[in-house]
Amino acid sequence: MNTKLSGKTALITGASAGIGWASALALAGEGANLVLSARRQERLTELEAAVQKAGGKAVSIVGDAKEENTARQAVDLAVKTFGSVDILINNVGIGNYKNIIDTSAEEYDEMMDSNVRSTFLFTRYAVPVMIKQGSGTILMISSMAGVYGFGGEAVYCATKFAQVGFAQALDKELRPHGIKVGAICPGGVKTEFALGKGRTEESVSASGMLEPEDVAGAVLMACTQSPGSRIIEVQMRTMDEPLT
């Protein structure tokens, strides 16, 4: 096992699949201890076993990321188990690709809570620990929909722009405390994300979208920067993207 992150503790939301799962394995491969949060116990148990089989250490907490108690308990678990929170990956999120006139207030609330409220809550509880340590890295897994607006995705874009703005503001607020804050903005990724809400398994598998491991590579890069540098924003697109 490599050791760039040996002794560091990473808390990952939405760790039970896709980018969260791939990021957990990537960080564990560099020696990080993991605290995994998601709603599916069986998937978290499977991921814990995969990390441990590779020689890493992982604990998990089941809960809804938009609930304040989930964030509080996850941070407490990290400190109690490993003594620190060095990395926070705000990965959990949902999409629902609809025109604005077809989007209900309930769907708006669901996306805002999952994508923005969860990001705020986990950051809110992790930051005091990082300030006390005098160091830390916080990454928002945003999207190219947080960089450009796309038709039929207005509410989703609003949530992802919010994550980017949140990261930009916190970069200025937290840098004096030795905390790095950035946003990873991938295009479409081959995951279960938004299945049944604008995507199908067939369309995803047949696409040339990014793989979760591609995004995990960017996450790892941002988490292993030298002390004097930071990743502010990474934009990622597939090589299959049309030229026009």
Side-chain angles (χ1 to χ4, degrees):
M1 179 178 286
N2 297 322
T3 58
K4 287 183 179 179
L5 296 173
S6 180
K8 303 294 185 181
T9 300
L11 169 55
I12 304 176
T13 69
S16 62
I19 295 170
W21 182 289
S23 295
L25 293 178
L27 297 182
E30 288 293 344
N33 301 316
L34 298 176
V35 178
L36 311 169
S37 174
R39 292 182 293 182
R40 295 178 289 183
Q41 178 66 74
E42 69 282 1
R43 292 286 289 164
L44 288 175
T45 300
E46 184 180 348
L47 180 55
E48 279 187 70
V51 170
Q52 291 164 2
K53 185 177 180 180
K57 297 179 181 179
V59 294
S60 63
I61 179 168
V62 176
D64 192 328
K66 71 176 182 291
E67 299 297 334
E68 187 169 9
N69 201 44
T70 303
R72 183 189 297 112
Q73 289 180 345
V75 171
D76 287 348
L77 179 62
V79 174
K80 179 180 178 180
T81 306
F82 299 118
S84 65
V85 180
D86 302 290
I87 297 165
L88 171 62
I89 310 298
N90 284 305
N91 167 70
V92 71
I94 64 168
N96 196 339
Y97 302 146
K98 288 186 174 182
N99 291 332
I100 192 67
I101 61 173
D102 298 318
T103 303
S104 68
E106 290 76 15
E107 289 167 331
Y108 170 90
D109 288 341
E110 183 182 35
M111 278 187 276
M112 283 292 177
D113 283 349
S114 294
N115 300 357
V116 183
R117 178 180 166 86
S118 68
T119 296
F120 161 73
L121 287 172
F122 275 80
T123 303
R124 168 64 183 83
Y125 282 97
V127 162
V129 178
M130 292 181 174
I131 289 176
K132 186 176 180 180
Q133 295 167 177
S135 64
T137 298
I138 301 171
L139 295 180
M140 323 303 171
I141 306 301
S142 183
S143 170
M144 289 304 295
V147 180
Y148 303 104
F150 295 94
E153 301 179 26
V155 175
Y156 178 67
C157 287
T159 68
K160 291 299 171 177
F161 268 84
Q163 286 185 307
V164 170
F166 190 61
Q168 289 178 359
L170 288 180
D171 170 62
K172 294 180 173 61
E173 180 178 330
L174 299 178
R175 204 180 333 141
H177 299 283
I179 301 170
K180 304 177 183 184
V181 185
I184 309 296
C185 300
V189 183
K190 290 183 178 180
T191 71
E192 60 189 49
F193 176 82
L195 292 181
K197 296 184 176 183
R199 289 183 181 176
T200 65
E201 291 184 8
E202 295 75 18
S203 67
V204 171
S205 62
S207 74
M209 292 192 294
L210 295 165
E211 299 289 346
E213 292 75 16
D214 297 328
V215 185
V219 169
L220 180 60
M221 175 183 68
C223 292
T224 55
Q225 289 296 293
S226 59
S229 66
R230 71 196 199 280
I231 296 294
I232 299 171
E233 182 177 300
V234 174
Q235 297 182 17
M236 303 180 67
R237 299 302 292 261
T238 174
M239 288 293 285
D240 279 4
E241 183 179 15
L243 296 177
T244 57

